[in-house]
Amino acid sequence: MQVKTFGLWKSPFTPEFVTQNAKQITSQVQVDADDIYFIEQRPSENGRSVLMKFNKEQAPTEVLPKEISVRTKYLEYGGHCFCVHEGTCYFVNADDQNIYEYKNNSLRQVTKKENTRFADLTFDSNFQSLIAVCEYQQAPESTNTVCKIDVNSGEVHDLVKGADFYNSPRLNNDGQLVWLEWNHPNMPWNGTEAFVAPIDNLNAKKKIAGSSQNAVSQIRWGQEGQLYFVAELGEYLNMYSYIYGELQKVINRPNEFAQPDWVPGIQQFAVHNSGFLCSTFFENGYSRIILTKGNESILLKESFTHVSSVHAYSDNFVAMVGFSDLGSAIIEINRQGQVKVLHSEEPLTISADYISQPQQFNYPTEEGSTGFAWFYPPKNKDYKGPDNTKPPLIVMAHGGPTGMSKPTFRKDIQYWTSQGFAIVDVNYGGSTGYGKTYRERLSGNWGKVDVSDCVAAVQKLVEQGLVDKGKVAIRGGSAGGYTTLAALTFTEGVFAVGASYFGVSDVELLAKETHKFESRYMDQLIGPYPESQDEYDKRSPIKCVDQLNCPILFLQGDEDKIVPPNQSELMYKSLLKKGIQTEYKLYKGEGHGFRRSETRIDALVTEYNFYKKVLNIID
């Protein structure tokens, strides 16, 4: 084993290996008879989203012509963008956002709409129609509806409208339509309502659950007319059913049974016609799967660490899962809780001796509670650091901010740890998966609690002698980019450098310019605008540059509609003016999140070289 400076180890996780050949299974999975369909992302093909199909006898193959990318831009973040009925595929074409039909190797355009986006498609055979959520792009902000699309004529009819947002429209065989809706300033995880009505008399709608203070999520029909959904009627998002006018808790556990509905179409539980329910919940940051029927339950004890989606399949269930040391996979779960891998991402050709496993890492928060993170120590079988030295640390701040860091295998994390960096991936206050109280720590405190939690995680790692106190970087994208900029601006002596991926520098500008979905999100995170103008000024790094002395790298897409490029440009120019070391990369054709291999490679290399220079990582 060679002795070499931390951060200079030669790694098999090259930028090209991390990004170029990756084919990523997404959480978009659907079952049609014996066939399983899923979306695969391919960065090496300009970020194309490919519809794939397989079954127990047939390996995965592409369903559509190779020039087609399947992706919706609904509410900018997208969502579930296809459905399959008896072998016929309906999907949203990424190029024009219209719905197409693919049947018997023949492609046909169904809708011919401009400035319209669709998501969360389901097929209704009684009406030969698709039920979906729809967004009409218009000024001053878009209009959202639940719609019905005639697959023969392509006509689009709005079924439900009037609320600011909709999700999960589902029609049963008796003609009963159920849906979720909510209004500004709520987000779908803190105030939604579930309604049901006959599709031929939608004015007779009846509220089932939810309110402006309680969220309902992922509602769907059972086999006998009952409804199943996840609802936060107390501290945790738990599983409920609704039948004969009665609301019942299906599983009583102090755990979260869903992730936030950032996009429509998320499905983290499934109901089988045999009466079995397969659901997933978070426990200490890990995803677990539980099978229930009546009072009986089976808790799976498997090696997966995250579950993205669950579906009924034949006599069993399928789930898309992630692992800490392997790529994602689609597994089959039988009613006894036995698991079989049906399809997985390409197997790693790199030895486990180069792979750093996530370690649960808790830290004391500023207000005396417990915060949560994942710690990845440096790992490379060929190297060790010089005696009496410690590795540089990279703090990762996830996006959202209502999101979470998961203990799943990520090549980009291994890129750093195999070169001799330590990583701490922080689930700061405001993260999901740990209950309502933990999530609401961030209410009114964005730029404070998230920053103080990142600082607390660093301080504990330094106290334990695990990292070099003088070589701490922080990085994040979107909301994590804001936390990065806020941490560098509003703290002293903790961070030496940072990288902001399409991060927010001016929260007032964000409140004025961002898209409809998040246009009132700041009301919760900081306060109502413009009434809380002073707080917006105090929390905007761009307006507090006089407090900033740390070098920062800015990485931005020129087509970003969520955090426009001016957020990075203004901050970059301010640092230049002040004489602080900085770099700015604007990538053409990229939006909110980089999809192309060449962009992701360049961003990684640029970030590494920036840290290396600023942190003085030399032999």
Side-chain angles (χ1 to χ4, degrees):
M1 183 177 284
Q2 186 178 346
V3 176
K4 197 170 184 65
T5 302
F6 286 109
L8 296 178
W9 300 351
K10 187 177 180 180
S11 168
F13 285 95
T14 63
E16 291 76 17
F17 179 79
V18 168
T19 63
Q20 209 159 36
N21 298 317
K23 292 182 179 180
Q24 301 156 344
I25 302 173
T26 73
S27 60
Q28 293 195 50
V29 178
Q30 192 190 323
V31 170
D32 181 52
D34 293 330
D35 295 323
I36 299 169
Y37 293 77
F38 66 95
I39 297 290
E40 182 178 84
Q41 287 186 346
R42 297 184 181 176
S44 60
E45 298 179 25
N46 288 321
R48 189 164 74 101
S49 296
V50 181
L51 182 61
M52 305 291 291
K53 165 189 169 183
F54 76 100
N55 55 44
K56 291 180 180 180
E57 282 74 44
Q58 180 189 32
T61 55
E62 284 194 45
V63 176
L64 304 171
K66 290 189 179 296
E67 69 272 14
I68 289 177
S69 180
V70 181
R71 182 165 67 95
T72 177
K73 296 179 182 178
Y74 181 82
L75 294 178
E76 304 304 333
Y77 285 115
H80 201 89
C81 55
F82 75 94
C83 74
V84 186
H85 176 71
E86 295 180 351
T88 300
C89 302
Y90 299 94
F91 66 91
V92 178
N93 185 352
D95 286 344
D96 62 11
Q97 292 298 292
N98 273 296
I99 295 173
Y100 287 70
E101 176 191 82
Y102 191 71
K103 182 178 182 180
N104 298 327
N105 297 320
S106 177
L107 186 67
R108 179 178 68 88
Q109 186 171 347
V110 176
T111 63
K112 296 180 180 179
K113 291 282 189 179
E114 293 183 356
N115 302 315
T116 306
R117 297 169 176 179
F118 305 94
D120 201 8
L121 316 178
T122 57
F123 185 83
D124 178 68
S125 54
N126 292 329
F127 291 93
Q128 289 296 295
S129 297
L130 297 169
I131 305 295
V133 290
C134 177
E135 178 187 17
Y136 299 103
Q137 297 276 292
Q138 57 191 37
E141 66 176 18
S142 63
T143 299
N144 298 84
T145 69
V146 173
C147 70
K148 181 174 74 171
I149 303 146
D150 188 305
V151 297
N152 296 311
S153 68
E155 291 182 7
V156 179
H157 303 279
D158 292 328
L159 298 174
V160 186
K161 56 185 179 180
D164 287 322
F165 303 100
Y166 295 94
N167 201 348
S168 302
R170 298 291 184 269
L171 186 65
N172 72 2
N173 292 331
D174 296 328
Q176 297 288 312
L177 180 70
V178 66
W179 71 90
L180 303 177
E181 66 179 56
W182 72 98
N183 291 294
H184 286 313
N186 281 334
M187 298 299 284
W189 48 83
N190 57 21
T192 58
E193 297 174 297
F195 290 94
V196 65
I199 195 167
D200 56 1
N201 186 16
L202 290 165
N203 290 327
K205 70 178 185 180
K206 177 182 179 181
K207 188 165 93 167
I208 294 167
S211 70
S212 59
Q213 287 81 41
N214 301 103
V216 180
S217 175
Q218 302 181 34
I219 196 162
R220 62 195 71 256
W221 292 101
Q223 295 297 315
E224 298 176 3
Q226 70 271 55
L227 286 160
Y228 289 89
F229 51 89
V230 180
E232 190 178 68
L233 305 184
E235 173 64 15
Y236 297 100
L237 278 160
N238 279 149
M239 286 291 314
Y240 289 85
S241 68
Y242 180 87
I243 187 167
Y244 305 128
E246 243 184 84
L247 189 67
Q248 295 180 338
K249 186 180 281 190
V250 177
I251 305 173
N252 188 16
R253 293 185 65 95
N255 302 102
E256 301 270 82
F257 276 76
Q259 62 190 42
D261 281 341
W262 276 99
V263 297
I266 296 171
Q267 182 170 330
Q268 292 181 287
F269 71 87
V271 187
H272 199 277
N273 56 19
S274 62
F276 273 89
L277 174 70
C278 181
S279 23
T280 179
F281 62 88
F282 295 105
E283 185 175 61
N284 299 321
Y286 293 98
S287 287
R288 307 289 302 277
I289 286 179
I290 187 169
L291 295 172
T292 54
K293 184 178 182 182
N295 294 323
E296 298 179 4
S297 65
I298 300 172
L299 184 62
L300 273 63
K301 296 180 179 179
E302 295 293 329
S303 60
F304 52 78
T305 56
H306 185 70
V307 182
S308 298
S309 61
V310 181
H311 301 263
Y313 177 61
S314 186
D315 292 331
N316 302 317
F317 296 93
V318 291
M320 190 281 209
V321 301
F323 302 85
S324 64
D325 57 349
L326 299 167
S328 297
I330 296 173
I331 62 171
E332 182 180 26
I333 307 158
N334 69 19
R335 298 181 202 176
Q336 291 74 46
Q338 297 167 323
V339 169
K340 178 183 179 182
V341 175
L342 298 180
H343 171 65
S344 59
E345 292 177 351
E346 293 176 1
L348 274 179
T349 55
I350 293 175
S351 165
D353 294 326
Y354 295 99
I355 296 172
S356 181
Q357 292 274 11
Q359 302 173 6
Q360 283 186 313
F361 182 78
N362 296 348
Y363 54 87
T365 68
E366 199 173 63
E367 66 266 33
S369 60
T370 299
F372 307 98
W374 302 103
F375 177 62
Y376 297 80
K379 188 170 182 182
N380 185 317
K381 74 179 182 66
D382 301 322
Y383 299 95
K384 67 176 182 177
D387 291 342
N388 302 317
T389 65
K390 296 178 176 63
L393 173 68
I394 300 174
V395 178
M396 289 189 167
H398 64 69
T402 309
M404 72 182 301
S405 297
K406 310 171 188 74
T408 50
F409 178 76
R410 286 172 49 186
K411 289 181 181 178
D412 60 331
I413 286 180
Q414 304 303 324
Y415 169 79
W416 296 106
T417 56
S418 58
Q419 292 186 91
F421 290 84
I423 295 279
V424 64
D425 202 359
V426 184
N427 275 316
Y428 50 77
S431 301
T432 59
Y434 299 95
K436 186 175 184 178
T437 301
Y438 194 78
R439 190 186 73 233
E440 291 191 342
R441 285 181 59 217
L442 201 62
S443 295
N445 291 311
W446 195 33
K448 292 183 174 181
V449 162
D450 48 330
V451 170
S452 67
D453 274 21
C454 288
V455 170
V458 171
Q459 289 173 337
K460 186 170 179 182
L461 287 167
V462 169
E463 287 169 9
Q464 293 181 348
L466 296 172
V467 299
D468 186 334
K469 180 181 180 180
K471 294 183 178 179
V472 180
I474 183 168
R475 74 191 298 267
S478 189
Y482 168 73
T483 298
T484 294
L485 296 176
L488 295 167
T489 305
F490 303 127
T491 66
E492 213 173 320
V494 180
F495 304 101
V497 63
S500 169
Y501 281 71
F502 36 89
V504 178
S505 64
D506 187 335
V507 290
E508 180 185 8
L509 197 61
L510 183 71
K512 288 178 177 178
E513 293 186 351
T514 196
H515 61 139
K516 178 184 177 181
F517 180 60
E518 294 180 275
S519 62
R520 299 289 301 279
Y521 195 13
M522 298 299 103
D523 288 25
Q524 301 171 29
L525 297 174
I526 294 176
Y529 180 81
E531 295 89 333
S532 303
Q533 177 75 58
D534 286 350
E535 280 302 313
Y536 279 75
D537 290 344
K538 291 175 185 175
R539 310 269 187 97
S540 293
I542 188 67
K543 297 181 180 180
C544 303
V545 175
D546 58 311
Q547 301 177 45
L548 179 61
N549 291 296
C550 287
I552 305 176
L553 169 67
F554 298 92
L555 300 153
Q556 177 75 45
D558 73 338
E559 295 181 3
D560 196 333
K561 300 292 191 297
I562 296 169
V563 181
N566 59 357
Q567 291 274 351
S568 293
E569 289 168 7
L570 290 170
M571 194 76 176
Y572 168 68
K573 289 176 181 177
S574 296
L575 266 67
L576 278 180
K577 190 175 180 181
K578 197 177 177 186
I580 297 172
Q581 188 174 351
T582 184
E583 290 182 28
Y584 175 49
K585 284 283 188 85
L586 183 66
Y587 295 104
K588 289 185 177 181
E590 293 285 10
H592 197 68
F594 302 153
R595 300 176 64 84
R596 297 172 179 166
S597 287
E598 57 268 32
T599 302
R600 293 162 70 176
I601 289 169
D602 187 76
L604 266 182
V605 171
T606 302
E607 186 179 0
Y608 173 73
N609 288 332
F610 193 74
Y611 292 163
K612 189 177 167 185
K613 183 165 49 178
V614 173
L615 298 177
N616 195 32
I617 299 175
I618 56 174
D619 273 329

